[in-house]
Amino acid sequence: DLQGKERRLSDLKGKVVLLDFTAYSAPYSQQRIMEMRSLYKKYAPMGFEIYQVSLDPNEHYWKTACDNLPWICVHDPNGPASTFARVYNVGQLPSYFLIDRNCDLVARETDIPDLAAAIEKLL
């Protein structure tokens, strides 16, 4: 994360997690961040967390872009060649997944017509 601390998804057991692969330098980023802020503000008190993986090639840009975000932000310096993106079969950015309180991946964005409703169901 920004403080150099290793952050593991498994440490979030007991929370509903939105695992988000993104690039802050992409044109969609600002609008997406606003949508995520709204979700986080509403659901974080109920046990919701966002774990956002930046695949931006420029680490400085990542640090600047996520400096004031309240959720977990990590950076993969391998960018689009990220091992983690391959493990989750990320074919495009942004891509997100929902993980339940038991750390089980339950859905990816293509299977989620209403993200807020899906989060509420898992909470």
Side-chain angles (χ1 to χ4, degrees):
D1 67 9
L2 280 172
Q3 290 74 40
K5 181 179 176 187
E6 185 173 306
R7 304 296 296 259
R8 298 175 184 264
L9 278 171
S10 58
D11 293 339
L12 299 175
K13 187 170 185 171
K15 294 186 177 245
V16 172
V17 178
L18 178 69
L19 171 60
D20 182 60
F21 290 88
T22 194
Y24 295 106
S25 57
Y28 62 77
S29 184
Q30 289 302 327
Q31 179 180 346
R32 185 168 173 78
I33 293 298
M34 297 306 292
E35 292 167 3
M36 293 181 105
R37 276 188 187 275
S38 177
L39 290 170
Y40 191 81
K41 183 178 179 181
K42 183 174 182 179
Y43 297 116
M46 296 179 238
F48 173 69
E49 184 62 74
I50 297 173
Y51 187 103
Q52 196 166 49
V53 181
S54 166
L55 300 180
D56 285 286
N58 184 317
E59 185 175 358
H60 177 73
Y61 191 90
W62 161 71
K63 286 180 178 180
T64 303
C66 72
D67 186 41
N68 292 317
L69 298 178
W71 52 80
I72 298 168
C73 299
V74 299
H75 178 253
D76 189 331
N78 295 315
S82 165
T83 301
F84 301 106
R86 277 196 309 259
V87 166
Y88 285 92
N89 197 26
V90 173
Q92 65 180 15
L93 295 177
S95 286
Y96 64 82
F97 304 84
L98 274 177
I99 299 171
D100 69 13
R101 293 180 185 271
N102 294 316
C103 289
D104 294 324
L105 192 143
V106 295
R108 69 181 302 141
E109 89 248 21
T110 54
D111 303 322
I112 305 170
D114 182 344
L115 181 55
I119 291 168
E120 285 183 21
K121 184 177 178 183
L122 292 174
L123 289 172

